[in-house]
Amino acid sequence: MSSSVLPPEAYGAALAVLPGMGPARLAALLDRWRPEEAWGRVLANGAVADPAVAAACRPDPPGVAIAWARAAARVDVSAVWAAHRRAGVTVALRGSPEYPAPLAGDHEAPAVLFLKGGGQAATGRRVAVVGTRRCTRYGADVARQLGRDLSAAGVAVVSGLALGVDGAAHEGALAAGAAPPVAVVGSGLDVVYPRRHARLWAGVASSGLLLSEAPLGARPEPWRFPVRNRIIAALAEVVVVVESPSRGGSLHTVDAAVARDRPVMAVPGSVRSPASE
């Protein structure tokens, strides 16, 4: 495909594959220029001349700019675009019709999203069900029941498809076969993590919406999970914590929900259980 006919989404996807391109840096680029213009600036090693982009690239803006320019020179934008199309992945720029409406006005809305499934899944009522990966049997049972009952009542269950509470909630939602579930993951949509949830991933993608701000091939690096939790909070109208230790990762979702004035609820658990701290 000739670069002259590539859509803006192709350049958005190509920018997302560059090294060190986190959400804040990508947003800074696309707040300043259209995707194809931002790509040209990156190629020319000129992106950090903009103060906002330079601020997002601290502590070493020149070093980031050099790494981007070198990597961009090796990236075939049309190949990146073709790979996402072959995989059935929709690339949605903030402000485009494909972009999930509940996220569009968020103060930390991703500049680019990668989607599989139906975007309409995020337009109805939505409740996030989150909690620890090391949940008890009780926690898994409650998460599964909440997922099933919420879906049966027409409410989309939003979670992260992680082990433990997240996966159990989506199992329940899929079993109900009613409201479509929504999952926000911390890797490219072709990198299933955890691998044992491959069937869950496929089920959510076919009956609901699977989304990420990471392009194809992106590994589940640890930093991606706290960052993706803001998206779960932004999508949800209510956040329910089933089980969490006092320093659990789901508390990142709680903090993001509180910052957005979302109600946060907690499932009662045993006062003797570390999972319910």
Side-chain angles (χ1 to χ4, degrees):
M1 183 184 292
S2 168
S3 62
S4 63
V5 297
L6 287 173
E9 289 80 4
Y11 294 95
L15 287 166
V17 307
L18 296 178
M21 187 61 78
R25 292 174 177 178
L26 187 54
L29 285 167
L30 296 183
D31 284 345
R32 179 65 178 84
W33 300 291
R34 295 194 302 270
E36 55 271 34
E37 293 174 331
W39 183 256
R41 296 273 180 166
V42 165
L43 269 175
N45 194 12
V48 299
D50 180 80
V53 176
C57 294
R58 290 172 182 160
D60 183 20
V64 172
I66 291 170
W68 282 351
R70 288 175 176 169
R74 299 190 297 268
V75 172
D76 182 340
V77 179
S78 62
V80 172
W81 179 237
H84 283 82
R85 287 171 62 85
R86 282 195 305 271
V89 172
T90 298
V91 181
L93 300 175
R94 190 174 51 208
S96 70
E98 296 82 12
Y99 197 92
L103 275 180
D106 189 75
H107 69 282
E108 291 182 308
V112 180
L113 279 175
F114 300 89
L115 316 171
K116 262 192 173 182
Q120 69 278 6
T123 59
R125 308 312 300 263
R126 303 169 307 282
V127 170
V129 180
V130 300
T132 179
R133 289 171 170 80
R134 298 181 177 88
C135 63
T136 65
R137 174 68 178 270
Y138 162 78
D141 288 346
V142 170
R144 200 170 288 111
Q145 179 180 351
L146 280 171
R148 183 179 64 247
D149 292 351
L150 284 165
S151 178
V155 179
V157 174
V158 183
S159 204
L161 275 182
L163 295 174
V165 167
D166 287 23
H170 273 136
E171 286 172 2
L174 288 172
V182 178
V184 186
V185 300
S187 61
L189 297 185
D190 60 334
V191 182
V192 177
Y193 179 81
R195 293 194 63 81
R196 73 179 77 172
H197 278 179
R199 185 174 295 180
L200 265 181
W201 278 55
V204 171
S206 63
S207 64
L209 176 63
L210 186 65
L211 64 90
S212 176
E213 55 186 333
L216 290 180
R219 309 305 302 173
E221 299 166 275
W223 67 267
R224 294 189 183 276
F225 295 93
V227 170
R228 71 90 192 263
N229 288 349
R230 82 190 192 284
I231 302 176
I232 294 176
L235 281 171
E237 296 174 282
V238 176
V239 172
V240 178
V241 183
V242 176
E243 285 183 326
S244 174
S246 60
R247 294 174 182 259
S250 57
L251 297 186
H252 292 292
T253 310
V254 169
D255 290 341
V258 170
R260 290 162 173 78
D261 292 324
R262 302 291 197 274
V264 177
M265 301 180 178
V267 172
S270 169
V271 295
R272 295 187 176 94
S273 172
S276 291
E277 283 177 341

